[in-house]
Amino acid sequence: MNTGTILRAGVVGHPVKHSRSPIIHGYWLEQFGINGRYDRYDVKPEDFSHFVKTLSEQGLQGVNVTIPHKEAAFLALDEATDRARRLKAANTLWFENGKLWGDNTDSIGFLANLDQGHPGWDINAKSALILGAGGAARAIIAGLQERNIEKITIVNRTRERAEELALMSGGQVAVAEWSKLSFQLESADLVVNTTSLGMSGQPDLDLSLDPLGKNALVTDIVYVPLETNLLKQARLRGNPVVDGLGMLLHQAVPGFEHWFGKRPVVTDELRYLVEDHITGIRA
Ligand code: NAP
């Protein structure tokens, strides 16, 4: 039986009530029998700086940070990992030797999800097509660069945003027109939807995959619904597919280890539990 202090962490965002992170960390806390809590904190942008400065007074070991605070979180750190410095955004904060540290684990989560869902995907992947140029795309491009994907092309509704991201990402990152998306499919070994299109409540991504090779891997980081229309279309034509839920699960691993001292594993049981929440089987 556990005695003593309750270890506490959580997720801070605005809004944050739909975050599934408490389900994930709650599951691991129970698995390890750790006397801990993981809660949601809805904090407005104007209150974020005060919230971070008082983390330890609030008894928190650290937090996950979600929209819209990831850039502000990076600016509030004492120390950042190379990855967070490169992305200028942090989603996982913890204390080490009295200093507030931050990392960006979205790229870790993205890569681990593909590694688990389609092992060896990066061996022959030379060319990646990224739809979208927001915060998630930034982290994913950094991840693909870590895996030495030779050619990365960004296509975004707002072209200037894609150009800014290409510039910031450095290396061999190209930009193509949203209206010419289908031409880009011909040479892609990996297609990643990082836009919010296809998410429940949003319009669908209106894209025919006809020009895409049958071996190209298609992944969508939207995970509500679990199978977006993009993934369904890809699956029905025989392409390998990986959905976005695993990215959410895997990005949570480093934070749990920092706050609660155990390295958790993303199991099928955890995935089914979160799936049940998404599909409404569990509230
Ligand atoms: P963001 O910074 O707001 O970026 C949104 C992106 O979607 C932008 O590229 C935007 O294009 C594009 N977009 C939005 N509406 C569009 C439309 N009607 N037509 C074409 N493009 C549109 O958001 P984010 O943080 O990158 O997140 C993007 C999505 O990924 C969200 O659905 C989020 O829930 C999901 N996500 C999943 C995970 C995971 O763990 N699986 C992690 C992070 C994010 P413009 O630049 O033209 O506005």
Side-chain angles (χ1 to χ4, degrees):
M1 202 182 91
N2 266 306
T3 53
T5 324
I6 297 180
L7 295 172
R8 292 178 50 219
V11 53
V12 53
H14 184 65
V16 77
K17 69 173 184 228
H18 296 300
S19 170
R20 266 92 186 176
S21 293
I23 304 164
I24 301 169
H25 291 281
Y27 169 85
W28 286 330
L29 285 169
E30 202 180 312
Q31 288 285 304
F32 284 111
I34 292 171
N35 194 11
R37 288 182 60 107
Y38 183 101
D39 298 304
R40 296 181 182 89
Y41 297 89
D42 192 326
V43 174
K44 292 186 187 135
E46 59 268 32
D47 299 328
F48 182 74
S49 164
H50 179 256
F51 178 84
V52 174
K53 279 194 191 117
T54 57
L55 277 181
S56 92
E57 284 167 42
Q58 297 177 65
L60 288 160
Q61 306 295 312
V63 277
N64 281 132
V65 180
T66 187
I67 288 174
H69 302 311
K70 291 182 188 180
E71 281 85 5
F74 171 73
L75 295 174
L77 300 174
D78 298 319
E79 302 281 350
T81 60
D82 287 347
R83 191 181 302 112
R85 268 202 293 273
R86 200 165 151 204
L87 297 169
K88 297 187 175 59
N91 74 339
T92 305
L93 274 48
W94 70 96
F95 291 99
E96 214 172 294
N97 300 325
K99 293 198 163 167
L100 183 64
W101 272 83
D103 193 2
N104 192 313
T105 66
D106 280 337
S107 48
I108 299 175
F110 174 77
L111 294 174
N113 186 35
L114 293 194
D115 290 342
Q116 188 170 40
H118 195 60
W121 65 273
D122 53 345
I123 295 170
N124 294 317
K126 292 190 166 45
S127 162
L129 178 61
I130 311 298
L131 314 183
R138 207 197 296 180
I140 286 168
I141 289 171
L144 293 173
Q145 288 174 323
E146 277 176 35
R147 295 290 177 96
N148 300 315
I149 304 301
E150 279 172 24
K151 187 178 167 224
I152 298 172
T153 305
I154 311 170
V155 181
N156 193 47
R157 175 181 62 175
T158 311
R159 188 182 167 111
E160 302 86 71
R161 236 181 142 193
E163 278 165 0
E164 274 167 35
L165 178 55
L167 199 66
M168 179 182 173
S169 303
Q172 304 297 314
V173 179
V175 173
E177 276 296 321
W178 181 263
S179 57
K180 307 227 168 70
L181 192 45
S182 59
F183 294 112
Q184 297 300 324
L185 288 172
E186 285 173 25
S187 57
D189 300 312
L190 170 68
V191 178
V192 188
N193 177 42
T194 79
T195 74
S196 41
L197 292 174
M199 190 164 88
S200 162
Q202 298 286 325
D204 263 326
L205 175 61
D206 183 17
L207 173 68
S208 162
L209 293 179
D210 286 349
L212 187 69
K214 288 282 164 64
N215 294 325
L217 173 61
V218 180
T219 186
D220 199 327
I221 69 163
V222 168
Y223 57 87
V224 182
L226 281 167
E227 185 175 61
T228 59
N229 275 353
L230 173 72
L231 293 184
K232 185 175 180 189
Q233 193 192 153
R235 176 175 60 79
L236 291 176
R237 69 196 292 281
N239 285 83
V241 293
V242 175
D243 69 40
L245 179 55
M247 176 175 170
L248 178 76
L249 304 179
H250 284 284
Q251 64 76 32
V253 169
F256 188 93
E257 189 174 12
H258 285 302
W259 309 318
F260 302 117
K262 299 273 184 200
R263 186 161 183 87
V265 175
V266 173
T267 58
D268 288 345
E269 187 183 47
L270 171 61
R271 195 189 146 90
Y272 298 144
L273 177 69
V274 181
E275 273 183 18
D276 284 354
H277 279 268
I278 290 171
T279 54
I281 294 171
R282 286 174 206 245

